Amino acid sequence: MTRLTSTRDELVNQLAQTRRSGHRIALVPTMGALHDGHASLMRLAREQVGPDGRVVVSIFVNPMQFGASEDLDRYPRTLEADLAVCAQSGVDVAFAPSVEEMYPHGVPAADQAPQGVTVEPAPGLADILEGASRPGHFRGVLTVVAKLFGLVKPDVAVFGQKDYQQLALITRMADDLCLGIDVIGAETMREPDGLALSSRNRYLSPAQHDTALALSRALRAAQSQAAYGVEAARHAAQEVLEATEGIELDYLAVRAKDLSELRDRPEKGAEGRILVAAKVGTTRLIDNLPLEF
Ligand code: PAF
């Protein structure tokens, strides 16, 4: 049975007993609107802590990580359905706090000089790709994740690889701040047609859904050309996107696995990543896949 908790005190008290009895705790942070991709993170979390451990899922649409012109107000809030997904996935505790509960001193503005204590992400890693398009976004993400880590004190935290840069930054935070939390990245789940599962997919009309398939097609085209180098991979993806009407490309980038820049001809067998962000209608989607050169 999943227990719904909405206050920090209640959450901490519930987990104290688990910690005293030496069982492991896994955290899956989410913003709700849960889908099969989230359910796979929950299953992975359970595998990590075993049957006696505790799996905690947080459900919180974090205002601090949304820019002023972004979709905070229309972001789907579906608590009842989310609790059903948690229950089916064997989650022990669903933590769904209010904004006031998470930010009792007010929500700091992530894209300006922040008031209050916030987490400053590693600049080289946070200012590119998503960070370049969404100033302050990762300060908001890391600040809320640090709060969740502080409340839950998990042994393990599970995030999706779909948000590849977010995963890299959270892993880096856990490491740099010596948090002693094992951050695990779970593979992206996809529709049978290739579209990466995302809470924002529900905004897409059937026609837009078809258009959005160009993203995963483009990434796969890049995979097939990676043996010829970075530019060949990028070009193959770009061709697919340019041939598709209705895609407004934000970025398409080929990077090393750790998101650093690559020279055109990496060593044979080296691993990289291709990442894309684009709007289909008013819906902004991201996706990425591994590359082998
Ligand atoms: O990936 C998300 O859903 C969010 O960025 C996260 C990690 C839950 C922080 O709000």
Side-chain angles (χ1 to χ4, degrees):
M1 203 189 79
T2 304
R3 209 165 150 169
L4 173 64
T5 303
S6 53
T7 69
R8 301 188 293 177
D9 285 351
E10 215 185 310
L11 176 69
V12 169
N13 289 337
Q14 270 182 35
L15 294 174
Q17 176 57 33
T18 308
R19 204 162 289 110
R20 271 198 299 276
S21 56
H23 296 308
R24 282 160 62 78
I25 299 175
L27 171 66
V28 183
T30 80
M31 297 205 300
L34 302 179
H35 49 65
D36 286 351
H38 293 111
S40 77
L41 306 186
M42 296 169 198
R43 285 194 296 274
L44 186 56
R46 171 60 65 198
E47 278 169 30
Q48 295 297 315
V49 296
D52 295 330
R54 286 280 172 281
V55 175
V56 181
V57 169
S58 60
I59 299 172
F60 179 64
V61 182
N62 173 32
M64 195 183 159
Q65 69 189 71
F66 288 78
S69 60
E70 293 182 358
D71 58 349
L72 173 63
D73 289 339
R74 81 165 183 149
Y75 199 86
R77 285 146 172 99
T78 56
L79 186 58
E80 260 187 46
D82 292 347
L83 292 175
V85 175
C86 290
Q88 280 154 18
S89 310
V91 168
D92 299 294
V93 180
F95 176 52
S98 64
V99 171
E100 294 70 34
E101 190 68 20
M102 284 305 277
Y103 293 99
H105 308 293
V107 182
D111 55 356
Q112 295 159 20
Q115 322 93 7
V117 177
T118 61
V119 178
E120 193 58 36
L125 194 51
D127 297 346
I128 55 172
L129 307 169
E130 282 302 281
S133 298
R134 307 180 66 188
H137 170 67
F138 287 122
R139 188 186 284 136
V141 170
L142 293 196
T143 299
V144 82
V145 170
K147 283 167 178 275
L148 292 166
F149 281 0
L151 287 168
V152 176
K153 298 189 175 49
D155 299 281
V156 184
V158 184
F159 297 85
Q161 288 182 8
K162 188 173 80 66
D163 295 283
Y164 191 80
Q165 190 179 5
Q166 164 176 287
L167 173 63
L169 279 157
I170 292 169
T171 306
R172 182 74 191 272
M173 172 177 78
D175 194 30
D176 280 0
L177 301 184
C178 310
L179 300 181
I181 297 168
D182 199 4
V183 176
I184 297 184
E187 231 173 84
T188 303
M189 277 197 71
R190 296 179 181 278
E191 302 272 8
D193 59 18
L195 184 68
L197 296 193
S198 162
S199 304
R200 290 185 169 97
N201 290 354
R202 65 188 71 199
Y203 302 143
L204 300 172
S205 69
Q208 288 172 332
H209 181 115
D210 285 351
T211 303
L213 296 181
L215 298 188
S216 53
R217 251 197 342 265
L219 301 183
R220 285 199 308 274
Q223 281 185 316
S224 72
Q225 296 302 306
Y228 303 101
V230 168
E231 203 29 58
R234 219 193 81 85
H235 184 72
Q238 187 149 4
E239 268 191 345
V240 174
L241 296 171
E242 279 174 2
T244 311
E245 243 175 74
I247 298 262
E248 192 190 319
L249 185 62
D250 180 350
Y251 61 78
L252 173 69
V254 175
R255 293 263 169 169
K257 223 167 88 169
D258 64 0
L259 294 182
S260 60
E261 302 255 14
L262 278 171
R263 58 192 165 88
D264 187 42
R265 284 306 192 111
E267 264 170 44
K268 192 163 170 43
E271 289 174 61
R273 205 90 193 173
I274 178 152
L275 307 100
V276 66
K279 265 191 176 171
V280 177
T282 54
T283 304
R284 189 170 182 282
L285 300 172
I286 59 172
D287 199 357
N288 67 85
L289 277 180
L291 295 179
E292 188 181 324
F293 296 104

